[in-house]
Amino acid sequence: MSSITEIREKLKSDSWAIEDPFTILSDIASICSSSIDLGRDLVIRALDRQVLLSQSYRNILNDLTMQVGLYPYVSDLDDLSLRNALMHAAHRADGAMGDYVLHRSQARVLNWLMSGASVILSAPTSFGKSLLIDIIISARNFNNVVLIVPTLALVEETRRRMSRFVDDYSIVTSSNQKVSEKNIFVLTQERYLSIEKEIPEIDFFVIDEFYKLSISNDGGRSTLLNQAFLRLSSTGAQFYLLGPSIKSIPAVVQEKLNCKFLVEDFQTVAIELHFLKKKPNKNEALAKLLDEVDGQTMVYCQSPASTRKLIKSYLEMRDLEVTQEKELLEAATWTSDNYHDEWLVSVALRHGIGIHHGRLPRALGRFMIRAFEEGKIKILLCTSTLIEGVNTSAKNVVVYDSKLNRKSLDFFTFSNIKGRTGRMFRHFMGNIFVFEAPPEEELPFVDMPAINPGENTPSSLLINLPEKDVPVSLRGKVDTLLSQKVLPVELLKQHSGIEPEYLLETANTLLLLETRELERLSWTSRPQYDDIKLTSDLIWTQLGGAATARQSSMRSASMMTLWIWRLYSSRNVPRFRRAMILSQIERNTSPDDAVENVLAFLRGWASFNYPKYLVALNDVVNHILQLKGLRSCNYLPFAMIIEHLFQPSSFSALEEYGLPTEISEKLLNGKVFNKDDSLDVVVNNLRNQELDRFGNGVFEKSVIEDFQRGIGAKIG
């Protein structure tokens, strides 16, 4: 019998399926008998060439596929033995999900969920963890389900998936939607915390990518996820936490929550690791690979700046033809017209190459993924969005940069990137190409501070824990915060996205001001430049906003003030965007940096973090003003109009759904909906109307069609 290595080498060619299928399949059968996991890997590799086999040998391969538990991959049910046919039928989902067959490991996890048990699952990226969410929702007939996902891109992707249940449930993704009798809430942790009081009694909740519960340096999002988990788990609802490649969780978590922790290593694709030499240099080696490699390819880069350097180098080294895909050409023209013609995202699209990172407008990010899924884009340069913001995969993944956030990739992150190669029913085989040796295997231990608090648990989480759950060593710290008289404890708890120490530092700073200085902070609704500057200085210096603002390209409180003021003065996003891009270019900023600085400001600061800090500051300032007997302030109207970027409140949700603001503006001007309509009214109007006339060319028409499909419209 051939060795496993020899069998793998033979399976790479087509010849075995034509010249000697019996010997290879016999060897695989022997290995399956001794090691089901090794056998499964070989079966997957054989399935990659199954179209070359005669029917009799395909029947043998089907039997082996059943033996290793890959039931969804069985193609010819008529020729299965009675035993295998019964086994296959037993792994088919019921009811609305009846088209889906589960593999052996999926079925094992589903059995626990169907029994009513709460489950924390660690399993590979290609396992099919999300499918189990859909199946249990369809089977258990819950009234209210909460799905927490880490990014708005995944909110949209999950919302589209949940639309299969639209006849039975309202799918709620934001606060300006109506809650009905039965609901599926698809939210980030921030959105869940903001609308928690509006959510009826929960029957079932899910946290995707639960490893993010471990406290990290992500600007407090892990803390907020723990806040959400704490509140959700206190409801007593059944839950399902899912994530990839986790080694263990604290034993106390399983004990306190009475849940099952399952580690499954069931692979559904086979992956080949290839080492690339940096000869004559790294960029030329990558270009040569892209010249030769077969199939769609993702390239992982550590940052948006890295994607720009790489695409610029690639276009200089290769005289690439302009793409023949009309939709991509029109998309390139559209991005040139609306942003800048030298923006490398536009330039790359002209050559059939996509770029995806967190600074793209959400609708443009959605387009990149759809075009890649449809095969129109062959090469997609991605940042960490490849890991956590996009649920897509490719035949090939190249790890161009071996860093993330300036740190070397750890095994966990590398495994998640590797997991994007191959996909069930599309690519049995995936290829991962690396320039550096992969990190040594060391899977993470995921702590859950909401359930198992420790010395590194942030104060904002500690003050929300029941007293009995606060460790003795931390009670002094908590008591100090709860007994202080500077700010009400409820105010500290209400603004859980900001550490209480920052809120208290801000209050203490205000208490030291002269009355005249304090009175300057009592502005309402329509601030002047100096009003914005005063509050911006407090946000930057005392309230802890500097680090978050820097992530959105703000370099100082003065810069933040100027950009907020110019946005406020223009009251028009396209006008502001054009002006700020040109202004930066005139100061010798590159077009790429200019465009992406503005996009980062609009997406990460103006429409998200700035309003959060301003609302918190409003409450702190008001408390001090009232304490001093002075006239109160009201920053809330200003915070709201900035958050919505002076657009109808529905526009931001439509952008998340994949409809660019520029097209939403056309629909509004065309009287398809009104600016004050709720999101539910807007979506119903857009679902039930023919909108093709509002699209200029193939690109806009296909974007509108994709959007309408995503909201449940029946399009021929």
Side-chain angles (χ1 to χ4, degrees), residues 490-540:
E490 282 309 307
L491 189 153
L492 301 183
K493 291 183 176 181
Q494 179 183 348
H495 297 290
S496 55
I498 300 172
E499 288 306 305
E501 289 86 354
Y502 287 128
L503 295 165
L504 290 168
E505 181 183 346
T506 304
N508 284 319
T509 299
L510 296 175
L511 285 170
L512 295 174
L513 294 179
E514 298 288 341
T515 299
R516 185 177 298 176
E517 287 296 304
L518 267 178
E519 287 177 331
R520 292 178 61 201
L521 287 162
S522 61
W523 58 266
T524 62
S525 301
R526 298 180 179 179
Q528 298 302 308
Y529 181 89
D530 287 342
D531 298 329
I532 296 174
K533 187 175 189 314
L534 273 174
T535 51
S536 293
D537 286 341
L538 286 168
I539 288 171
W540 187 276

Side-chain angles (χ1 to χ4, degrees), residues 89-104:
H91 285 78
R92 184 175 293 278
D94 296 325
M97 302 295 293
D99 290 340
Y100 292 88
V101 176
L102 303 180
H103 58 66
R104 180 180 293 156

